[in-house]
Amino acid sequence: MVSSEKTPENTAIADMRVACIRKAQVKWNLSNKECAKLFREYGLLEFIREGYSWLSETGYDYVVIELEEYLKRQGVALNIEKA
């Protein structure tokens, strides 16, 4: 069960989710709607929640790379923009 209680950890998880969605949207060249659909369909928000303890020790760019790897394992091809 996911807690909606406002705790420092839940706030930090929400912050990470928002930052990663924005970074992914730009890097993967997706609209707001497309990115939200991808995160929802493949459980990326839950992936971030479940992995928060170790993901929080990395930067948001690394989290997006982890999301990319997860999606690749699910058979999703991304249009990744090179930096």
Side-chain angles (χ1 to χ4, degrees), residues 2 11 20 36-37 39 43 52 67 75 81:
V2 176
T11 300
C20 290
K37 181 179 178 189
F39 268 69
Y52 178 75
L67 295 174
E81 210 170 275

Side-chain angles (χ1 to χ4, degrees), residues 20-40 42 44 64 68 71 76-81:
C20 290
I21 288 169
R22 295 296 298 147
K23 285 185 169 290
Q25 181 183 352
V26 171
K27 187 174 182 186
W28 302 343
N29 195 30
L30 298 172
S31 69
N32 290 342
K33 192 174 186 176
E34 292 168 326
C35 195
K37 181 179 178 189
L38 190 66
F39 268 69
R40 191 173 42 256
Y42 290 94
L44 300 180
V64 172
E68 291 168 6
L71 289 170
V76 177
L78 298 169
N79 180 20
I80 298 176
E81 210 170 275

Side-chain angles (χ1 to χ4, degrees), residues 6-70:
K6 189 167 185 172
T7 65
E9 181 178 60
N10 284 343
T11 300
I13 290 169
D15 290 346
M16 179 181 283
R17 286 172 163 176
V18 169
C20 290
I21 288 169
R22 295 296 298 147
K23 285 185 169 290
Q25 181 183 352
V26 171
K27 187 174 182 186
W28 302 343
N29 195 30
L30 298 172
S31 69
N32 290 342
K33 192 174 186 176
E34 292 168 326
C35 195
K37 181 179 178 189
L38 190 66
F39 268 69
R40 191 173 42 256
E41 283 184 12
Y42 290 94
L44 300 180
L45 295 177
E46 190 57 31
F47 178 90
I48 292 171
R49 173 173 285 292
E50 289 175 2
Y52 178 75
S53 63
W54 63 273
L55 290 171
S56 65
E57 297 177 11
T58 68
Y60 294 147
D61 290 327
Y62 180 79
V63 176
V64 172
I65 291 169
E66 285 296 315
L67 295 174
E68 291 168 6
E69 291 300 316
Y70 174 80

